[in-house]
């Protein structure tokens, strides 16, 4: 009897331990979670306004993407119903927009307001600091020069962003060492392998920088897209006039007009220089006098939106169809194959031109300045490429005996696909998606390069358009206009491929790379 | 276990029906498509039954259809023809929720412990999944049940949060067994459960399976690729060849006195502990034919050491005869080739040369034997026909001359012992010599 009691106690003990939720586990050992949480809270508070704004932008993009897709599908059946979807979409979007403008008023430490960089230099203004007196600017942070103020703000923002991403990773590590029930999971090995993969880490850094550019673009740039580009005649700057020596006011548009980079040294605002209005241009100006750095940040946001929606949609469709076609095989597989081949056989550029013409005056064309339409076309034409790359791995998993085992005890097909196949397909999806993203970035840039109603509607910044504008000046004093956007695209595409390589080596250490499937996936551009 | 289940077999004989009853079961693959060619006849009409609490061994080479048969019994494959009744109910017709409910009764343990467990799930999740799928009781009770199951297969409860990678092959097989047990099945298909394991681990797993059978009153179908493993664990054994059961009966009796030529050749291949007992090893020539194109008569006829010869050739020596048989199999294999349009045209023009290598094959086979004149003529005619691109004609001619009942007619299942053992062979007809005599004769010549 005594032995029995002990046994019962033991059982109860283990049961209790295993039924504990994550929260209980944190309560029993709060230290590591607290340590992480305090820092995380500080990070959030620092950028509360910007973070909420950023998240809302992503939510907005997601809502637009999903409803857009629904709308297009419903529109095929009943245009009236599609109108309803549009109403819902617009209502949602307006609502999110409202919340976002409220969010903008939340305190944000690393913002243009706290560390301003615009102003004028009146020689008569003198400040002293630690007993040293210096000729101070009116406007910029601490009276520093616009260049210095901008550099400080940008450096702080970058540091903040990199550190935040690192801290998220630290959070996972904390969970893994202190709170996770399993001492080891296969995923740990993958993360460790990726951590030792310098090429892959390069990819991660590029991706993080790109995300920073798109999400914190307004803080990073010396000016804003709205002030410098889209509403340049509705905003003014103050400057000290060379002629009169007095402080004067001029619309930004006019100032831009006099700051053009036209290739000859007399008419060029190059890299890291000031124009005549005391404005600092880290990347110089465009042929129309706009600030290239600001333009690039705006372009990053557009690029993120379009490629994000496109690859998200393509990846979702591809993974879903890969699971279904490999689980059921036979006729299902064959019909997906036929559909995919049909879509791939349409020349993407031709399709884009057609879509641009057909949707010329459609509301869809106005969402994200034509970005959503582009994203939909890219998404719907890219999934077959991804699907073909995923089909092989999916078929392989479908052959595994654990799938048969699930079938033998009557598991539902959808659950089997999600639990027993998806985790294996997901890794490959990440690989091929990162490699395909480069193709979409390039395709999008090519469209904007071509112009003529293709791509993003001007004046909204688009990387390809900057290259196209700078093309005549490549071998002149204004070389920066085409070169810098070009380099950024190259680095981003290379980074995305590096990330794909890294993930591949992480999930499948024996693979050698350079297979045909990858070549097919990378060649997804227009 | 053996004793107990013989007992239960006897009981079962007296009263109710068997737990599993298989009637004329067929499983063909690739049937139906116009361009798919002949179907693969993985299982080609088998009949047997399994009593409750019994272990039936199913032995065969790879390609014999044993795994397909096992998978069809638990509805992982859909039967092409025939019925499988479980507790008196035909389960081949079940669909939807009926099928899902029935699946609780029959589970499978797979051969390869690496492929049978999903590496991305913890042991707890793996063993729990069947319970989740059937919404068994409350989540807390499921967790307790999993821990219970883990301990009944010899693992610890705190293995719950580990991953399959952290276990050895034997332990992984135990996990697979725990998963199969989760829904308290009555019947389990064990698909070569120990053949991927080290010899030392094999015995432990076999013991575990026997203990579990006693504890839970399980009925097993134990699939194995040779007869040595099944002897200790099975009450009855079925020997399968090319989709057909060649012999089925009580284990000990079958081992002691196999009646079917194929069973005999399998038994002779088992290394004997006592080499002084003289039993000639029978080596089978060639490989089993493709299940796409099984022989027209007895499935084993292309390799059988006891095959019935036509009267006229009764006196030919065995070596020569075996070469003739091999030559016939080479020609028969050729009849499988689908000839393309280009080859047909060539054949008509008389320039067909793709099959000229038949001459070499014949040279290799007949180089060092003196064939009697009559035989040489037939062989030469056949060679010419094959070279002309007409292998079917050649095959028919050879069968006419050298073929016997084994080539042309499917044998019947004959009862060959008092205990009800069945064997699939023409030699059990009283008009032919018995298998034992024939084999003894032929090996002593
Ligand atoms: S029927 Fe003929 S070929 Fe088949 S096993 Fe018996 S003797 Fe051999």
């Amino acid at each position: 009897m005594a032995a029995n009691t002990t046994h019962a106690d033991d059982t109860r003990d283990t049961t209790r331990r295993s039924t504990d939720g994550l929260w209980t586990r944190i309560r029993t050992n709060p230290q590591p979670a607290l340590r992480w949480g305090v820092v995380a809270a500080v990070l959030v508070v620092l950028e509360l306004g910007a973070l909420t704004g950023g998240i809302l932008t992503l939510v907005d993009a997601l809502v637009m993407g999903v409803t857009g897709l629904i709308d297009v599908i419903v529109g095929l059946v009943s245009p009236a119903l599609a109108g309803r979807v549009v109403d819902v979409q617009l209502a949602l979007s307006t609502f999110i927009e409202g919340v976002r403008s409220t969010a903008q008023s939340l305190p944000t430490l690393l913002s243009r307001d706290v560390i301003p960089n615009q102003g004028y230099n009146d020689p008569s203004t003198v400040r002293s600091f630690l007993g040293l007196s210096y000729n101070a600017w009116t406007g910029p942070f601490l009276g520093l020069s616009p260049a210095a103020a901008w550099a400080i703000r940008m450096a702080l923002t970058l540091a903040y962003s990199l550190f935040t991403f690192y801290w998220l990773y630290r959070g996972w590590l904390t969970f893994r060492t202190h709170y996770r029930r399993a001492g080891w999971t296969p995923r740990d090995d993958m993360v460790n392998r990726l951590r030792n993969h310098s090429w892959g880490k390069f990819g991660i850094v590029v991706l993080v920088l790109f995300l920073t550019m798109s999400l914190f673009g307004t803080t990073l740039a010396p000016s804003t897209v709205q002030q410098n580009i889209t509403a340049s005649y509705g905003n003014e700057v103050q400057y000290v006039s060379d002629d009169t020596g007095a402080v004067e006011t001029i619309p930004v548009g006019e100032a831009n007009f006099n700051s053009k980079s036209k290739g000859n040294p007399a008419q060029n605002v190059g890299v890291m220089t000031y124009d005549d209005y005391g404005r600092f241009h880290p990347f110089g100006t465009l042929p129309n006098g706009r600030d290239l750095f600001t333009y690039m940040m705006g372009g990053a946001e557009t690029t993120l939106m379009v490629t994000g929606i496109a690859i998200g949609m393509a990846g979702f469709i591809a993974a879903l169809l890969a699971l279904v076609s490999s689980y059921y095989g036979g006729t299902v597989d064959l019909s997906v194959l036929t559909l995919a081949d049909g879509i791939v056989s349409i020349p993407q550029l031709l399709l884009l031109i057609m879509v641009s013409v057909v949707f010329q005056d459609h509301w869809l064309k106005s969402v994200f300045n034509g970005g959503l339409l582009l994203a939909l076309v890219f998404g719907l034409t890219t999934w077959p490429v991804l699907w073909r790359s995923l089909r092989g791995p999916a078929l392989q998993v479908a052959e595994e005996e654990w799938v048969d085992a699930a079938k033998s005890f009557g598991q539902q097909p959808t659950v089997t696909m999600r639990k027993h196949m998806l985790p294996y397909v997901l890794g490959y999806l990440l690989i091929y998606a990162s490699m395909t993203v480069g193709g979409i970035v390039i395709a999008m840039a090519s469209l904007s390069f071509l112009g003529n109603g293709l791509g993003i509607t001007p004046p909204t910044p688009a990387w390809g358009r900057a290259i196209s504008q700078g093309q005549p000046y490549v071998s002149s004093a204004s070389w920066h206009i085409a070169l810098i956007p070009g380099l950024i695209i190259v680095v981003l595409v290379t980074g995305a491929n590096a990330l794909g390589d890294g993930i591949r080596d992480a999930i499948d250490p024996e693979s050698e790379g350079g297979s045909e499937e990858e070549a097919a996936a990378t060649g997804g551009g227009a | 276990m053996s004793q107990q289940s013989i007992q239960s077999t006897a009981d079962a004989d007296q009263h109710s029906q068997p737990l599993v009853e298989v009637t004329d079961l067929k499983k063909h693959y690739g049937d139906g498509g116009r361009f798919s060619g002949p179907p693969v006849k993985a299982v080609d009409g088998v009949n047997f039954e399994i009593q409750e609490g019994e272990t039936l061994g199913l032995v065969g080479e790879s390609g014999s259809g044993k795994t397909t048969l096992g998978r069809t019994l638990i509805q992982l494959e859909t039967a092409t023809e025939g019925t499988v009744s479980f507790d008196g109910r035909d389960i081949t017709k079940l669909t939807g929720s009926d099928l899902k409910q029935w699946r609780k009764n029959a589970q499978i343990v797979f051969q390869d412990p690496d492929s049978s467990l999903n590496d991305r799930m913890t042991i707890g999740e793996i063993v729990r999944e069947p319970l989740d799928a059937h919404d068994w009781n409350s989540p807390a009770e499921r967790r307790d049940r999993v821990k219970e199951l883990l301990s009944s297969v010899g693992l610890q409860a705190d293995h719950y949060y580990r991953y399959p990678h952290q276990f050895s092959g034997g332990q992984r097989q135990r996990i697979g067994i725990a998963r199969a047990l989760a829904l308290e099945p009555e019947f389990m298909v064990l698909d070569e459960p120990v053949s991927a394991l080290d010899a030392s681990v094999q015995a432990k797993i076999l013991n575990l399976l026997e203990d579990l059978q006693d504890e839970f009153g399980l009925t097993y179908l134990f699939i194995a690729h040779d007869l040595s493993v099944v002897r200790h664990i099975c009450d009855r054994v079925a020997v399968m060849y090319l989709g057909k059961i060649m012999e089925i009966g009580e284990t000990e009796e079958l081992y002691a006195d196999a009646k079917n030529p194929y069973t005999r050749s399998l038994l002779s291949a088992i290394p004997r502990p006592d080499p002084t007992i003289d039993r000639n090893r029978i080596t089978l020539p060639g490989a089993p034919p493709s299940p796409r194109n099984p022989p027209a008569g007895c499935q084993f006829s292309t390799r059988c050491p006891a095959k019935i010869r036509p009267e006229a050739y009764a006196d030919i020596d065995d070596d020569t005869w075996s070469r003739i048989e091999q030559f016939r199999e080479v020609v028969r294999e050729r009849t499988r080739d689908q000839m393309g349009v280009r080859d047909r045209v060539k054949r008509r023009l008389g320039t067909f040369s793709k099959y000229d290598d038949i001459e070499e094959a014949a040279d290799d086979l007949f180089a060092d034997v003196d064939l009697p004149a009559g035989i040489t003529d037939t062989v030469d005619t056949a060679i010419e026909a094959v070279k002309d691109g007409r292998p079917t004609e050649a095959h028919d001619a050879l069968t006419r001359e050298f073929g016997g009942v084994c080539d042309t007619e499917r044998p019947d299942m004959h009862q060959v012992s008092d205990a009800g053992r069945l064997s699939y062979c023409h030699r059990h007809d009283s008009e032919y010599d018995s298998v034992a005599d024939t084999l003894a004769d032929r090996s002593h010549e």
Side-chain angles (χ1 to χ4, degrees), chain B residues 174-407:
Chain B
R174 286 171 193 267
I175 298 162
I177 294 171
R179 173 179 59 194
L181 284 174
L183 293 167
E184 301 182 320
E186 292 171 64
F187 175 56
M188 289 223 297
V189 171
L190 311 170
D191 186 6
E192 302 199 40
V194 296
S195 61
L197 306 176
D198 293 341
S200 55
V201 188
Q202 289 192 349
K204 289 190 191 154
I205 297 292
L206 289 177
N207 286 338
L208 172 70
L209 288 168
E210 292 197 282
D211 292 346
L212 292 171
Q213 183 170 42
D214 290 345
E215 196 176 336
F216 300 112
L218 297 164
T219 305
Y220 286 157
L221 177 74
F222 189 106
I223 301 175
H225 66 272
D226 67 54
L227 277 165
S228 56
V229 189
V230 296
R231 181 164 196 174
H232 305 287
I233 193 166
C234 297
D235 304 307
R236 287 192 308 136
V237 178
V239 178
M240 213 171 158
Y241 185 83
L242 217 61
K244 200 82 194 168
I245 289 183
M246 303 299 289
E247 185 164 7
I248 178 169
E250 306 275 336
T251 310
E252 278 315 312
E253 200 191 81
L254 184 135
Y255 271 77
D257 177 27
K259 296 292 188 200
N260 191 279
Y262 181 59
T263 319
R264 281 182 163 254
S265 63
L266 281 187
L267 280 172
S268 79
I270 300 177
R272 310 238 131 215
D274 183 2
T276 54
I277 296 177
D278 179 50
R279 180 177 266 194
N280 286 320
R281 202 188 148 139
I282 306 170
T283 21
L284 300 179
S290 153
R292 257 186 210 287
N293 183 28
C298 169
Q299 271 80 354
F300 191 43
S301 59
T302 59
R303 300 164 80 204
C304 180
K307 189 171 172 185
I308 298 164
R309 292 183 199 170
E311 287 295 329
Y313 295 102
D315 299 333
I316 302 264
D317 79 287
D318 284 333
D319 182 46
T320 312
W321 189 254
S322 125
R323 284 164 202 255
I324 293 171
E325 290 286 2
Q326 286 178 53
F327 176 69
R328 289 178 58 197
E329 179 59 7
V330 171
V331 173
R332 200 182 71 89
E333 283 290 317
R334 280 286 151 81
T335 60
R336 246 175 83 193
D337 284 6
Q338 303 264 348
M339 215 175 268
V341 176
R342 185 197 283 255
D343 285 334
R344 280 166 203 266
V345 172
K346 276 191 184 168
R347 187 167 72 179
R348 180 143 298 179
L349 296 176
T351 58
F352 183 81
S353 60
K354 206 165 117 199
Y355 291 163
D356 282 2
D357 54 345
I358 188 76
E359 207 143 13
E360 270 171 54
D363 281 351
D364 285 349
L365 280 169
F366 302 123
D368 46 3
V369 287
D370 282 329
L371 293 180
I375 296 183
T376 319
D377 286 349
T378 320
V379 168
D380 286 346
T381 328
I383 292 177
E384 283 313 312
V386 172
K387 278 168 71 182
D388 285 349
R390 293 181 173 78
T392 319
E393 247 168 56
H395 174 65
D396 290 347
L398 287 171
T399 309
R400 261 196 311 276
E401 185 61 26
F402 302 121
V405 63
C406 294
D407 292 305

Side-chain angles (χ1 to χ4, degrees), chain A residues 126-156:
Chain A
V126 173
R127 276 206 208 182
S128 66
F129 184 69
L130 296 175
L132 288 169
S133 40
Y134 62 100
N135 167 233
W137 285 66
T138 309
F141 184 58
L142 297 178
L144 294 167
S145 68
W150 167 79
I152 288 174
R153 193 175 70 219
M154 188 190 71
L156 285 177

Side-chain angles (χ1 to χ4, degrees), chain A residues 322-447:
Chain A
L323 291 178
V324 171
S325 63
S326 57
Y327 183 85
Y328 292 106
T331 330
V332 180
D333 194 29
L334 197 67
S335 11
V336 177
L337 187 71
T338 318
L339 182 64
D341 281 353
I343 291 178
V344 166
S345 67
I346 306 171
Q348 206 181 24
L349 188 61
L350 204 68
L351 182 71
L352 280 160
I353 294 173
M354 270 163 49
V355 168
S356 303
V357 173
V358 172
F359 285 83
Q360 196 78 62
D361 301 314
H362 195 274
W363 66 269
L364 255 177
K365 176 86 182 167
S366 64
V367 184
F368 301 142
N369 308 294
L372 182 62
L373 196 61
L374 273 187
L376 288 178
V377 173
F378 283 132
L380 291 175
T381 51
T382 305
W383 72 258
V385 186
L386 280 179
W387 174 78
R388 269 199 236 165
S389 315
L390 294 184
R391 186 167 162 261
L395 278 173
Q396 219 174 328
V397 199
E399 290 290 301
E400 297 281 359
E401 278 176 351
W402 65 73
V403 173
D404 278 338
K407 196 175 165 195
S408 80
F409 53 73
Q411 186 59 280
Q412 268 158 12
T414 47
V415 182
T416 304
M417 285 183 227
R418 184 164 47 79
K419 275 171 92 168
H420 297 298
M421 294 169 64
L422 183 62
Y424 294 85
V425 175
L426 211 53
Y428 292 94
L429 177 62
L430 283 180
I431 299 174
Y432 296 117
S434 358
M435 296 190 166
T436 315
V437 132
I440 299 183
V441 170
I442 292 174
M444 193 183 148
S446 342
L447 285 179

